[in-house]
């Protein structure tokens, strides 16, 4: 294309006068196709080009991406330099207008891609909510087995609200690095919360595995991190009460001031091997009760509903931890504990003529006692005095035995150990404790629950406990024997007598906000 013969006609002063003259409207030409044109209140630089294919004249605005691309922000010298650049492109066979349109299209597509990526991108908090809704909600699978978590992820949510969301909750999940997550885990570890750190590690790995399967992240940042890198490997408890410690229990229980219900609970776990959640969900068998209502209350309280039939000497749990029913045969020793508990039965709030169905009712008598309450009662009586919590038992060391602290689950382990020491086979013990059989083949093909052997095993365990309590504990023979008689732990093994007539008492619910003092449990 032929250029204007004379270029750089203008001066800076001429350009200024043109811009200031409101009456001037014709374009100001510098030569070489460079013009200053007025548009509304602005003066903009243009380069006039000829379309090679058609010969049509085109006005190409200069500095289009600069909001202040007109005069005086862009001076005459700036315009001449930009015009030279564009003419050089034309000399190389590149159409500046076409290049500009291509640049605009590329930028628009980049913006669309970025918007789509932002839409697909989820924050850690949003990812958690999706994971919680899909994987953590309790439901029944196609095989009839429960899936999800019993608490619908409530515990996990509490931990994430405390330890994860404040730091990385609003960060994009696919931008989270291993170091970001290890920083959270190290914080829990530095507090001495090693088990909490391991649980948090497991939950974070599961959440990012969920995201990886749905193409929300490119990789799981914790794939190569193990528990040994965080809280250390899990330590399996092996605490078992010795024979001597079992003999010490009656005296320790009396000295502890533990409520009679919880005292009986200790002996029931030792005699039946039940889990704490199964123990506290026990109800007295009554065919007139609304079973669906009891089940709803039990589920809300986190316990497993079980029906105690004193006449049949059974304790039936329709649903347990391993998703099958379980029936416990009640030995004479276990019956003796339930007889004591029957004497503590209180009247129902709704119907004073009927007793509360729960064997271990809460203070309001409208459900079972909280699943953590029993463990707290035992723990409060196995610590140093300076660690005593407000409004808790002052007998802080009363339940400490010769080998130290013990828990309710240690009683379950002790029951299994005492069964083994009197010659009961391991497979029968597994059935008595309602363990899931490890071998899948045995679970599939051996459907016998060994009911007869279980009855004999429970009776033998009860007799064994009787015999252990008949002998005095080391160092305190007379006192221990008296305590055993006071708690009704006689050494004889006999057919249980019918349960005594239940004594009904009405107990007022605690005042609102006053908390529950289980040392004063009725």
């Amino acid at each position: 294309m032929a250029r204007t013969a004379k270029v750089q006609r203008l001066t800076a002063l001429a350009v200024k006068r043109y811009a200031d003259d409101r009456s001037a409207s014709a374009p100001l030409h510098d030569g070489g196709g460079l013009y200053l044109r007025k548009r509304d209140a602005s003066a903009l630089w243009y380069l006039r080009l000829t379309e090679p294919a058609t010969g049509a004249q085109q006005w190409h605005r200069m500095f289009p991406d600069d909001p202040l691309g007109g005069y005086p922000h862009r001076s005459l010298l700036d315009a001449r330099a930009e015009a030279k650049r564009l003419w050089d492109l034309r000399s190389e066979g590149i159409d500046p207008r076409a290049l500009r349109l291509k640049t605009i299209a590329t930028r628009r597509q980049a913006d669309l891609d970025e918007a789509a990526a932002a839409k697909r991108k989820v924050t850690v908090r949003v990812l958690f909510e999706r994971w919680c809704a899909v994987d953590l909600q309790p439901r029944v699978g196609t095989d009839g087995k429960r899936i999800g978590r019993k608490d619908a992820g409530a515990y996990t949510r509490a931990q994430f609200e405390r330890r994860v969301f404040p730091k990385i909750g609003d960060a994009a999940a696919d931008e989270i690095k291993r170091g970001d997550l290890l920083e959270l885990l190290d914080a829990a570890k530095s507090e001495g919360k090693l088990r909490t750190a391991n649980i948090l590690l497991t939950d974070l790995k599961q959440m990012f595995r969920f995201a990886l399967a749905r193409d929300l992240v490119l990789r799981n940042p914790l794939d190569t991190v193990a528990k040994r890198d965080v809280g250390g490997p899990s330590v399996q408890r092996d605490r078992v009460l010795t024979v001597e410690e079992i003999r010490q229990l009656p005296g320790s229980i009396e000295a502890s001031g533990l409520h009679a219900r919880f005292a009986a609970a200790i002996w029931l776990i030792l005699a039946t091997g039940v889990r704490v959640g199964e123990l506290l969900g026990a109800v007295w068998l009554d065919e007139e009760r609304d079973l669906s209502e009891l089940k709803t209350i039990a589920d809300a309280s986190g316990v497993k509903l079980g029906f105690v039939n004193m006449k049949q000497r059974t304790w039936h749990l329709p649903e347990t931890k391993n998703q099958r029913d379980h029936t416990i045969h009640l030995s004479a020793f276990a019956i003796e504990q339930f007889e004591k508990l029957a004497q503590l039965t209180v009247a129902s709030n709704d119907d004073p003529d009927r007793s509360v169905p729960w064997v271990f009712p809460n203070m309001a008598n409208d459900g079972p006692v909280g699943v953590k309450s029993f463990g707290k009662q035992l723990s409060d009586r196995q610590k140093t005095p300076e660690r005593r919590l407000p409004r808790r038992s002052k007998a802080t060391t009363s339940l400490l035995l010769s080998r130290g602290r013990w828990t309710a689950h240690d009683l379950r382990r002790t029951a299994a150990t005492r069964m083994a020491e009197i010659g009961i086979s391991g497979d029968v013990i597994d059935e008595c404790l309602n363990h899931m059989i490890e071998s899948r083949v045995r679970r599939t093909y051996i459907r016998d629950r060994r009911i007869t052997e279980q009855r004999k095993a429970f009776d033998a365990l009860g007799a064994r406990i009787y015999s252990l309590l008949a002998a005095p504990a080391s160092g305190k023979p007379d006192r221990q024997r008296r305590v055993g008689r006071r708690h009704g732990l006689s050494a004889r093994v006999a057919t249980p007598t019918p349960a005594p007539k239940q004594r009904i008492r009405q107990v007022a619910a605690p005042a609102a906000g006053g908390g529950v003092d289980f040392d004063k449990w009725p």
Side-chain angles (χ1 to χ4, degrees):
M1 184 187 89
R3 304 185 187 181
T4 306
K6 187 175 181 180
V7 296
Q8 298 186 0
R9 299 174 176 179
L10 303 175
T11 64
L13 181 59
V15 171
K16 184 177 185 306
R17 287 175 178 173
Y18 171 80
D20 293 339
D21 186 358
R22 295 184 179 181
S23 63
S25 58
L28 190 63
H29 190 201
D30 186 49
L34 178 62
Y35 290 84
L36 181 64
R37 303 176 69 186
K38 287 189 176 181
R39 289 290 182 267
D40 298 327
S42 303
L44 304 176
W45 294 105
Y46 283 87
L47 187 64
R48 192 170 187 182
L49 303 173
T50 302
E51 172 62 39
T54 64
Q57 294 292 311
Q58 300 173 342
W59 289 98
H60 181 79
R61 182 185 167 186
M62 302 168 65
F63 315 110
D65 296 325
D66 187 351
L68 302 176
Y71 181 85
H73 181 70
R74 292 291 188 175
S75 67
L76 176 61
L77 293 178
D78 293 333
R80 287 171 176 171
E82 179 65 8
K84 182 179 183 304
R85 186 184 72 81
L86 295 175
W87 279 118
D88 289 343
L89 286 175
R90 173 58 67 88
S91 300
E92 296 172 3
I94 301 174
D95 183 1
R97 259 181 89 82
L99 180 62
R100 167 66 181 162
L101 293 175
K102 183 178 179 180
T103 301
I104 292 174
T106 301
R107 187 178 302 163
R108 182 180 293 115
Q109 186 60 46
D111 292 341
L112 292 174
D113 293 342
E114 183 178 353
K119 187 176 181 180
R120 290 193 305 268
K121 186 176 293 186
V122 296
T123 64
V124 172
R125 187 185 294 272
V126 172
L127 172 60
F128 173 84
E129 294 297 342
R130 185 171 172 183
W131 174 55
C132 184
V134 175
D135 276 5
L136 302 191
Q137 295 302 311
R139 55 177 63 93
V140 179
T142 55
D143 59 354
K145 299 292 186 180
R146 293 195 312 270
I147 56 178
R149 300 191 181 178
K150 183 172 62 175
D151 65 348
Y155 173 80
T156 302
R157 180 182 296 277
Q159 290 299 317
F160 273 57
E161 291 285 359
R162 178 181 177 185
R163 300 183 180 277
V164 179
F165 295 154
K167 296 292 183 66
I168 61 172
D170 296 326
D174 62 349
E175 296 177 0
I176 297 298
K177 299 180 180 179
R178 182 188 300 113
D180 300 326
L181 300 176
L182 285 177
E183 182 179 352
L184 304 176
L185 298 170
D186 287 343
K189 184 177 179 180
S190 64
E191 297 173 12
K193 305 291 183 64
L194 302 184
R195 183 172 180 272
T196 297
N198 279 344
I199 293 174
L200 189 59
L201 169 65
T202 300
D203 286 337
L204 286 168
K205 291 177 78 170
Q206 288 182 10
M207 184 181 74
F208 276 98
R209 192 177 301 124
F210 170 89
L212 182 62
R214 286 154 181 80
D215 204 23
L216 300 176
V217 297
L218 297 177
R219 63 185 181 84
N220 187 340
L222 291 174
D223 263 345
T224 59
V225 180
K227 288 184 178 180
R228 63 175 177 273
D229 304 314
V230 182
S234 300
V235 179
Q236 187 174 3
R237 283 184 63 87
D238 58 0
R239 177 78 162 94
V240 173
L241 271 63
T242 64
V243 168
E244 185 60 34
E245 287 179 319
I246 294 175
R247 290 171 176 160
Q248 293 172 6
L249 263 182
S252 297
I253 291 173
E254 183 180 44
S256 71
L258 200 64
H259 189 278
R261 282 200 185 99
F262 282 140
I266 292 175
W267 297 113
L268 278 175
I269 297 179
L270 197 59
T272 63
V274 293
R275 301 176 177 91
V276 174
E278 298 167 349
L279 171 79
L280 300 180
V283 297
W284 303 107
L285 182 63
D286 185 348
E287 296 179 354
E288 297 181 3
R289 297 281 184 187
D290 185 348
L291 300 186
S292 61
E293 180 183 356
L294 293 176
K295 178 70 165 58
T296 301
I297 296 174
D299 290 344
S301 303
V303 299
K304 296 297 183 182
L305 187 65
F307 302 94
V308 177
N309 188 332
M310 298 284 279
K311 292 182 179 179
Q312 297 292 329
R313 298 179 64 184
T314 59
W315 183 355
H316 179 65
L317 296 141
E319 182 182 349
T320 59
K321 178 181 179 181
N322 58 21
Q323 304 188 44
R324 66 175 185 173
D325 68 315
H326 181 48
T327 300
I328 301 169
H329 170 72
L330 300 178
S331 65
F333 185 86
I335 286 288
E336 192 173 339
Q337 310 313 312
F338 276 117
E339 287 175 348
K340 296 178 196 174
L341 290 167
Q343 295 176 8
L344 299 172
T345 303
V346 296
S348 172
N349 295 335
D350 300 329
D351 186 356
D353 295 330
R354 300 186 67 180
S355 59
V356 172
W358 304 99
V359 177
F360 298 92
N362 58 23
M363 294 292 288
N365 298 325
D366 57 3
V369 70
V371 71
K372 295 183 179 181
S373 301
F374 185 40
K376 290 179 181 179
Q377 291 295 299
L378 300 183
S379 176
D380 287 343
R381 292 162 173 79
Q382 299 182 71
K383 57 179 61 176
T384 55
E386 57 270 16
R387 295 187 61 192
R388 174 180 174 264
L389 298 176
R391 300 181 61 190
R392 297 291 184 86
S393 173
K394 296 181 181 180
T396 53
T397 61
S398 55
L399 288 182
L400 282 174
L401 300 177
S402 55
R403 292 185 61 205
R405 291 173 53 85
W406 52 277
T407 66
H409 200 77
D410 294 335
L411 297 173
R412 176 174 159 86
R413 192 180 299 107
T414 301
T417 302
R418 296 300 155 230
M419 283 185 178
E421 80 178 2
I422 57 180
I424 299 171
S425 64
D427 56 337
V428 175
I429 295 175
D430 283 339
E431 291 293 351
C432 288
L433 270 62
N434 194 29
H435 280 157
M436 179 66 76
I437 299 174
E438 294 182 3
S439 169
R440 183 177 180 181
V441 174
R442 288 179 58 199
R443 289 201 308 269
T444 303
Y445 289 97
I446 302 177
R447 313 301 293 182
D448 182 23
R449 300 289 296 272
R450 313 289 293 275
I451 301 300
T452 301
E453 289 85 349
Q454 284 192 58
R455 291 195 191 102
K456 294 178 181 179
F458 281 123
D459 282 336
L461 176 61
R464 175 60 174 163
I465 298 174
Y466 270 136
S467 66
L468 292 178
L469 297 177
S474 176
K476 298 184 286 185
D478 297 335
R479 180 174 179 273
Q480 289 285 26
R481 296 188 75 171
R482 287 197 300 272
V483 168
R485 288 195 297 271
R486 186 179 300 120
H487 280 261
L489 304 174
S490 58
R492 58 186 174 82
V493 180
T495 302
T497 57
K501 185 176 181 180
Q502 296 178 354
R503 177 164 52 92
I504 300 178
R505 293 185 291 137
Q506 178 67 42
V507 180
V516 177
D517 186 350
F518 287 102
D519 293 329
K520 298 178 181 179
W521 192 18

mmCIF file with all atom_site columns, all heavy atoms in Angstrom, residues 435-446:
data_model
loop_
_atom_site.group_PDB
_atom_site.id
_atom_site.type_symbol
_atom_site.label_atom_id
_atom_site.label_alt_id
_atom_site.label_comp_id
_atom_site.label_asym_id
_atom_site.label_entity_id
_atom_site.label_seq_id
_atom_site.pdbx_PDB_ins_code
_atom_site.Cartn_x
_atom_site.Cartn_y
_atom_site.Cartn_z
_atom_site.occupancy
_atom_site.B_iso_or_equiv
_atom_site.pdbx_formal_charge
_atom_site.auth_seq_id
_atom_site.auth_comp_id
_atom_site.auth_asym_id
_atom_site.auth_atom_id
_atom_site.pdbx_PDB_model_num
ATOM 1   N N   . HIS A 1 435 ? -18.300 -61.263 68.223 1.00 0.00 ? 435 HIS A N   1
ATOM 2   C CA  . HIS A 1 435 ? -17.265 -60.799 67.312 1.00 0.00 ? 435 HIS A CA  1
ATOM 3   C C   . HIS A 1 435 ? -17.601 -61.214 65.884 1.00 0.00 ? 435 HIS A C   1
ATOM 4   O O   . HIS A 1 435 ? -18.194 -62.276 65.661 1.00 0.00 ? 435 HIS A O   1
ATOM 5   C CB  . HIS A 1 435 ? -15.907 -61.404 67.685 1.00 0.00 ? 435 HIS A CB  1
ATOM 6   C CG  . HIS A 1 435 ? -15.248 -60.707 68.821 1.00 0.00 ? 435 HIS A CG  1
ATOM 7   N ND1 . HIS A 1 435 ? -14.297 -61.305 69.621 1.00 0.00 ? 435 HIS A ND1 1
ATOM 8   C CD2 . HIS A 1 435 ? -15.399 -59.458 69.316 1.00 0.00 ? 435 HIS A CD2 1
ATOM 9   C CE1 . HIS A 1 435 ? -13.891 -60.452 70.546 1.00 0.00 ? 435 HIS A CE1 1
ATOM 10  N NE2 . HIS A 1 435 ? -14.544 -59.322 70.374 1.00 0.00 ? 435 HIS A NE2 1
ATOM 11  N N   . MET A 1 436 ? -17.216 -60.395 64.936 1.00 0.00 ? 436 MET A N   1
ATOM 12  C CA  . MET A 1 436 ? -17.335 -60.770 63.535 1.00 0.00 ? 436 MET A CA  1
ATOM 13  C C   . MET A 1 436 ? -16.258 -61.808 63.224 1.00 0.00 ? 436 MET A C   1
ATOM 14  O O   . MET A 1 436 ? -15.075 -61.594 63.500 1.00 0.00 ? 436 MET A O   1
ATOM 15  C CB  . MET A 1 436 ? -17.150 -59.550 62.638 1.00 0.00 ? 436 MET A CB  1
ATOM 16  C CG  . MET A 1 436 ? -17.226 -59.852 61.159 1.00 0.00 ? 436 MET A CG  1
ATOM 17  S SD  . MET A 1 436 ? -18.847 -60.402 60.638 1.00 0.00 ? 436 MET A SD  1
ATOM 18  C CE  . MET A 1 436 ? -19.734 -58.836 60.653 1.00 0.00 ? 436 MET A CE  1
ATOM 19  N N   . ILE A 1 437 ? -16.660 -62.934 62.673 1.00 0.00 ? 437 ILE A N   1
ATOM 20  C CA  . ILE A 1 437 ? -15.709 -63.992 62.348 1.00 0.00 ? 437 ILE A CA  1
ATOM 21  C C   . ILE A 1 437 ? -14.781 -63.487 61.244 1.00 0.00 ? 437 ILE A C   1
ATOM 22  O O   . ILE A 1 437 ? -15.235 -62.979 60.209 1.00 0.00 ? 437 ILE A O   1
ATOM 23  C CB  . ILE A 1 437 ? -16.446 -65.267 61.904 1.00 0.00 ? 437 ILE A CB  1
ATOM 24  C CG1 . ILE A 1 437 ? -17.349 -65.770 63.036 1.00 0.00 ? 437 ILE A CG1 1
ATOM 25  C CG2 . ILE A 1 437 ? -15.465 -66.355 61.496 1.00 0.00 ? 437 ILE A CG2 1
ATOM 26  C CD1 . ILE A 1 437 ? -18.233 -66.932 62.648 1.00 0.00 ? 437 ILE A CD1 1
ATOM 27  N N   . GLU A 1 438 ? -13.467 -63.627 61.463 1.00 0.00 ? 438 GLU A N   1
ATOM 28  C CA  . GLU A 1 438 ? -12.493 -63.057 60.528 1.00 0.00 ? 438 GLU A CA  1
ATOM 29  C C   . GLU A 1 438 ? -12.557 -63.727 59.163 1.00 0.00 ? 438 GLU A C   1
ATOM 30  O O   . GLU A 1 438 ? -12.472 -63.072 58.129 1.00 0.00 ? 438 GLU A O   1
ATOM 31  C CB  . GLU A 1 438 ? -11.086 -63.168 61.105 1.00 0.00 ? 438 GLU A CB  1
ATOM 32  C CG  . GLU A 1 438 ? -10.875 -62.318 62.358 1.00 0.00 ? 438 GLU A CG  1
ATOM 33  C CD  . GLU A 1 438 ? -9.450  -62.408 62.871 1.00 0.00 ? 438 GLU A CD  1
ATOM 34  O OE1 . GLU A 1 438 ? -8.642  -63.091 62.210 1.00 0.00 ? 438 GLU A OE1 1
ATOM 35  O OE2 . GLU A 1 438 ? -9.151  -61.797 63.897 1.00 0.00 ? 438 GLU A OE2 1
ATOM 36  N N   . SER A 1 439 ? -12.703 -65.045 59.144 1.00 0.00 ? 439 SER A N   1
ATOM 37  C CA  . SER A 1 439 ? -12.705 -65.759 57.874 1.00 0.00 ? 439 SER A CA  1
ATOM 38  C C   . SER A 1 439 ? -14.024 -65.533 57.134 1.00 0.00 ? 439 SER A C   1
ATOM 39  O O   . SER A 1 439 ? -15.102 -65.853 57.653 1.00 0.00 ? 439 SER A O   1
ATOM 40  C CB  . SER A 1 439 ? -12.490 -67.262 58.110 1.00 0.00 ? 439 SER A CB  1
ATOM 41  O OG  . SER A 1 439 ? -12.727 -67.996 56.930 1.00 0.00 ? 439 SER A OG  1
ATOM 42  N N   . ARG A 1 440 ? -13.923 -65.026 55.928 1.00 0.00 ? 440 ARG A N   1
ATOM 43  C CA  . ARG A 1 440 ? -15.134 -64.802 55.129 1.00 0.00 ? 440 ARG A CA  1
ATOM 44  C C   . ARG A 1 440 ? -15.798 -66.124 54.770 1.00 0.00 ? 440 ARG A C   1
ATOM 45  O O   . ARG A 1 440 ? -17.031 -66.221 54.711 1.00 0.00 ? 440 ARG A O   1
ATOM 46  C CB  . ARG A 1 440 ? -14.776 -64.019 53.868 1.00 0.00 ? 440 ARG A CB  1
ATOM 47  C CG  . ARG A 1 440 ? -15.976 -63.677 53.011 1.00 0.00 ? 440 ARG A CG  1
ATOM 48  C CD  . ARG A 1 440 ? -15.579 -62.834 51.825 1.00 0.00 ? 440 ARG A CD  1
ATOM 49  N NE  . ARG A 1 440 ? -16.730 -62.493 51.000 1.00 0.00 ? 440 ARG A NE  1
ATOM 50  C CZ  . ARG A 1 440 ? -16.654 -61.770 49.894 1.00 0.00 ? 440 ARG A CZ  1
ATOM 51  N NH1 . ARG A 1 440 ? -15.476 -61.296 49.510 1.00 0.00 ? 440 ARG A NH1 1
ATOM 52  N NH2 . ARG A 1 440 ? -17.735 -61.504 49.195 1.00 0.00 ? 440 ARG A NH2 1
ATOM 53  N N   . VAL A 1 441 ? -14.981 -67.142 54.530 1.00 0.00 ? 441 VAL A N   1
ATOM 54  C CA  . VAL A 1 441 ? -15.525 -68.454 54.181 1.00 0.00 ? 441 VAL A CA  1
ATOM 55  C C   . VAL A 1 441 ? -16.327 -69.019 55.348 1.00 0.00 ? 441 VAL A C   1
ATOM 56  O O   . VAL A 1 441 ? -17.440 -69.535 55.174 1.00 0.00 ? 441 VAL A O   1
ATOM 57  C CB  . VAL A 1 441 ? -14.392 -69.421 53.779 1.00 0.00 ? 441 VAL A CB  1
ATOM 58  C CG1 . VAL A 1 441 ? -14.939 -70.824 53.547 1.00 0.00 ? 441 VAL A CG1 1
ATOM 59  C CG2 . VAL A 1 441 ? -13.688 -68.913 52.530 1.00 0.00 ? 441 VAL A CG2 1
ATOM 60  N N   . ARG A 1 442 ? -15.778 -68.905 56.563 1.00 0.00 ? 442 ARG A N   1
ATOM 61  C CA  . ARG A 1 442 ? -16.501 -69.412 57.736 1.00 0.00 ? 442 ARG A CA  1
ATOM 62  C C   . ARG A 1 442 ? -17.784 -68.624 57.957 1.00 0.00 ? 442 ARG A C   1
ATOM 63  O O   . ARG A 1 442 ? -18.816 -69.192 58.326 1.00 0.00 ? 442 ARG A O   1
ATOM 64  C CB  . ARG A 1 442 ? -15.607 -69.328 58.972 1.00 0.00 ? 442 ARG A CB  1
ATOM 65  C CG  . ARG A 1 442 ? -14.474 -70.351 59.000 1.00 0.00 ? 442 ARG A CG  1
ATOM 66  C CD  . ARG A 1 442 ? -13.635 -70.188 60.247 1.00 0.00 ? 442 ARG A CD  1
ATOM 67  N NE  . ARG A 1 442 ? -14.456 -70.330 61.442 1.00 0.00 ? 442 ARG A NE  1
ATOM 68  C CZ  . ARG A 1 442 ? -14.090 -69.889 62.649 1.00 0.00 ? 442 ARG A CZ  1
ATOM 69  N NH1 . ARG A 1 442 ? -12.941 -69.268 62.800 1.00 0.00 ? 442 ARG A NH1 1
ATOM 70  N NH2 . ARG A 1 442 ? -14.874 -70.072 63.685 1.00 0.00 ? 442 ARG A NH2 1
ATOM 71  N N   . ARG A 1 443 ? -17.735 -67.292 57.746 1.00 0.00 ? 443 ARG A N   1
ATOM 72  C CA  . ARG A 1 443 ? -18.948 -66.492 57.907 1.00 0.00 ? 443 ARG A CA  1
ATOM 73  C C   . ARG A 1 443 ? -20.025 -66.908 56.911 1.00 0.00 ? 443 ARG A C   1
ATOM 74  O O   . ARG A 1 443 ? -21.214 -66.874 57.209 1.00 0.00 ? 443 ARG A O   1
ATOM 75  C CB  . ARG A 1 443 ? -18.634 -65.000 57.699 1.00 0.00 ? 443 ARG A CB  1
ATOM 76  C CG  . ARG A 1 443 ? -17.826 -64.358 58.783 1.00 0.00 ? 443 ARG A CG  1
ATOM 77  C CD  . ARG A 1 443 ? -17.992 -62.845 58.762 1.00 0.00 ? 443 ARG A CD  1
ATOM 78  N NE  . ARG A 1 443 ? -17.744 -62.248 57.475 1.00 0.00 ? 443 ARG A NE  1
ATOM 79  C CZ  . ARG A 1 443 ? -16.562 -61.795 57.067 1.00 0.00 ? 443 ARG A CZ  1
ATOM 80  N NH1 . ARG A 1 443 ? -15.510 -61.888 57.863 1.00 0.00 ? 443 ARG A NH1 1
ATOM 81  N NH2 . ARG A 1 443 ? -16.423 -61.239 55.873 1.00 0.00 ? 443 ARG A NH2 1
ATOM 82  N N   . THR A 1 444 ? -19.587 -67.317 55.718 1.00 0.00 ? 444 THR A N   1
ATOM 83  C CA  . THR A 1 444 ? -20.540 -67.656 54.669 1.00 0.00 ? 444 THR A CA  1
ATOM 84  C C   . THR A 1 444 ? -21.146 -69.038 54.870 1.00 0.00 ? 444 THR A C   1
ATOM 85  O O   . THR A 1 444 ? -22.358 -69.223 54.696 1.00 0.00 ? 444 THR A O   1
ATOM 86  C CB  . THR A 1 444 ? -19.853 -67.587 53.289 1.00 0.00 ? 444 THR A CB  1
ATOM 87  O OG1 . THR A 1 444 ? -19.307 -66.272 53.106 1.00 0.00 ? 444 THR A OG1 1
ATOM 88  C CG2 . THR A 1 444 ? -20.836 -67.900 52.176 1.00 0.00 ? 444 THR A CG2 1
ATOM 89  N N   . TYR A 1 445 ? -20.330 -70.009 55.274 1.00 0.00 ? 445 TYR A N   1
ATOM 90  C CA  . TYR A 1 445 ? -20.789 -71.396 55.273 1.00 0.00 ? 445 TYR A CA  1
ATOM 91  C C   . TYR A 1 445 ? -21.136 -71.946 56.654 1.00 0.00 ? 445 TYR A C   1
ATOM 92  O O   . TYR A 1 445 ? -21.859 -72.932 56.754 1.00 0.00 ? 445 TYR A O   1
ATOM 93  C CB  . TYR A 1 445 ? -19.720 -72.295 54.631 1.00 0.00 ? 445 TYR A CB  1
ATOM 94  C CG  . TYR A 1 445 ? -19.623 -72.065 53.141 1.00 0.00 ? 445 TYR A CG  1
ATOM 95  C CD1 . TYR A 1 445 ? -18.664 -71.222 52.610 1.00 0.00 ? 445 TYR A CD1 1
ATOM 96  C CD2 . TYR A 1 445 ? -20.505 -72.682 52.265 1.00 0.00 ? 445 TYR A CD2 1
ATOM 97  C CE1 . TYR A 1 445 ? -18.577 -70.991 51.243 1.00 0.00 ? 445 TYR A CE1 1
ATOM 98  C CE2 . TYR A 1 445 ? -20.434 -72.465 50.898 1.00 0.00 ? 445 TYR A CE2 1
ATOM 99  C CZ  . TYR A 1 445 ? -19.462 -71.622 50.389 1.00 0.00 ? 445 TYR A CZ  1
ATOM 100 O OH  . TYR A 1 445 ? -19.390 -71.396 49.044 1.00 0.00 ? 445 TYR A OH  1
ATOM 101 N N   . ILE A 1 446 ? -20.625 -71.340 57.704 1.00 0.00 ? 446 ILE A N   1
ATOM 102 C CA  . ILE A 1 446 ? -20.950 -71.829 59.052 1.00 0.00 ? 446 ILE A CA  1
ATOM 103 C C   . ILE A 1 446 ? -21.916 -70.844 59.679 1.00 0.00 ? 446 ILE A C   1
ATOM 104 O O   . ILE A 1 446 ? -21.529 -69.763 60.117 1.00 0.00 ? 446 ILE A O   1
ATOM 105 C CB  . ILE A 1 446 ? -19.677 -71.985 59.911 1.00 0.00 ? 446 ILE A CB  1
ATOM 106 C CG1 . ILE A 1 446 ? -18.693 -72.931 59.232 1.00 0.00 ? 446 ILE A CG1 1
ATOM 107 C CG2 . ILE A 1 446 ? -20.043 -72.483 61.302 1.00 0.00 ? 446 ILE A CG2 1
ATOM 108 C CD1 . ILE A 1 446 ? -17.381 -73.093 59.980 1.00 0.00 ? 446 ILE A CD1 1
#
